[in-house]
Amino acid sequence: MKKMIAASLVGIGLTLASAAHAADVDKLGQRIEAAHDVLHELMATPDKGVPLDIAAKAHCVAVIPGYKKGAFLVGAQYGQGLATCRTRAGWSAPVFIQLTGASFGFQAGGQSTDLVLVGVNARSLDDLLKDKVKLGGDIAVSAGPVGRDSQASTTELANAEFLTYSRSKGLFAGVDLTGDEVHQNTADTNAFYGKDIPYKTILSGAVPTPAAARHFVATVNEMFHRGRARK
C-alpha cells in the first residue's frame, strides 16, 4: 500500500511539473507573438519606423513588448522580451531578456510601451552575452531616428552600440533608455529550449530556431534585407 501511495505521489508530482512547464512555454510563446506583432507593425509603417539604413546595419535586434512604468512618484520600469543576433548563416534563434530601470517624476497612471533595440555594430553580440549591462554605462545607447529615409548622424552611429525605439499608442519614436539595465533571462531561455543552453551558443547560430519563434526571426531577417536592398 505504501509503495502504491509513493508511486501515486511521484506520478502526481511529474504531472504537475509537466503542466507547469507547458504553462511556462505557452507564456513564452505569447511573448514571442507580441514581439513579432511589434516588428510586423513597425514594418507595415516604414515612414514611421526604423530607417532602412539602420536596419541594414543591424547586428542584433531586441524587442520588449509591454514595457511597464509604475504609477508612483518614483516608479519602477520593467519589461520582458527577446533578442536575436545576425550570424553568417542568418539570424540566430532567440534568447530571452529583461529590462529594468527607474522612472522619476509624477505619472498619472501605469503606462505600457513597446521597445525595440537595434544593435548597430559587432560589439552588440558581446554585450548581450553579459549577464547584466547598463545602458549608457556599460554600453553606449542613443535614441534612434525614425522614418523610411531618415538617417542616423555619423556621431550617433560612431558612438552608439544600440539605437533605441519605443511604440506607444501605435506611434514609434526614438527613446532614451540611459540608465536602464538589460539582464539575461536564463530561466525563461532554459524553459523555452527545455535545457540549459548558454547564450553564446544560441546567439552564435548553433541552435536551430524552434517552430514557435521562426516567424519572429523571419521578420527580423526581412527587416534587415529590406535595408540591405535599399543600399
Side-chain angles (χ1 to χ4, degrees):
M1 180 62 71
K2 290 182 178 180
K3 291 182 178 180
M4 292 179 62
I5 294 175
S8 297
L9 291 175
V10 170
I12 292 172
L14 292 174
T15 299
L16 291 175
S18 178
H21 176 72
D24 287 342
V25 172
D26 182 64
K27 176 191 67 177
L28 298 176
Q30 293 175 23
R31 192 178 305 161
I32 293 171
E33 194 65 37
H36 171 262
D37 289 346
V38 171
L39 285 183
H40 188 74
E41 182 170 334
L42 184 152
M43 291 178 61
T45 54
D47 291 328
K48 300 177 182 178
V50 175
L52 293 174
D53 73 314
I54 300 302
K57 295 179 176 69
H59 284 261
C60 295
V61 174
V63 183
I64 298 92
Y67 188 54
K68 300 293 192 302
K69 290 185 176 182
F72 308 103
L73 185 62
V74 179
Q77 298 183 146
Y78 178 78
Q80 300 271 15
L82 60 156
T84 176
C85 291
R86 181 158 50 95
T87 73
R88 292 181 180 179
W91 288 82
S92 73
V95 296
F96 290 87
I97 61 173
Q98 57 190 26
L99 190 67
T100 59
S103 59
F104 297 90
F106 177 74
Q107 297 177 31
Q111 300 177 26
S112 175
T113 187
D114 303 311
L115 301 179
V116 178
L117 287 70
V118 181
V120 290
N121 59 44
R123 299 191 302 275
S124 306
L125 172 60
D126 292 333
D127 286 324
L128 282 178
L129 295 177
K130 298 175 183 177
D131 180 58
K132 180 178 71 174
V133 292
K134 188 172 184 177
L135 301 180
D138 300 314
I139 60 177
V141 296
S142 177
V146 174
R148 183 201 305 264
D149 298 317
S150 298
Q151 295 186 352
S153 69
T154 302
T155 301
E156 283 178 320
L157 286 178
N159 294 336
E161 294 176 47
F162 281 90
L163 295 178
T164 51
Y165 297 86
S166 70
R167 182 186 74 161
S168 182
K169 298 180 180 180
L171 298 177
F172 278 95
V175 62
D176 185 3
L177 295 178
T178 299
D180 285 11
E181 293 182 342
V182 179
H183 304 254
Q184 293 186 7
N185 192 330
T186 53
D188 283 354
T189 300
N190 294 346
F192 185 66
Y193 291 97
K195 57 183 177 180
D196 183 2
I197 305 178
Y199 264 52
K200 184 174 183 178
T201 301
I202 299 172
L203 292 178
S204 69
V207 177
T209 301
R214 287 174 189 162
H215 60 323
F216 170 77
V217 173
T219 300
V220 172
N221 185 57
E222 182 182 352
M223 183 177 73
F224 170 71
H225 281 287
R226 282 188 187 182
R228 298 284 287 189
R230 179 62 179 269
K231 292 183 68 176

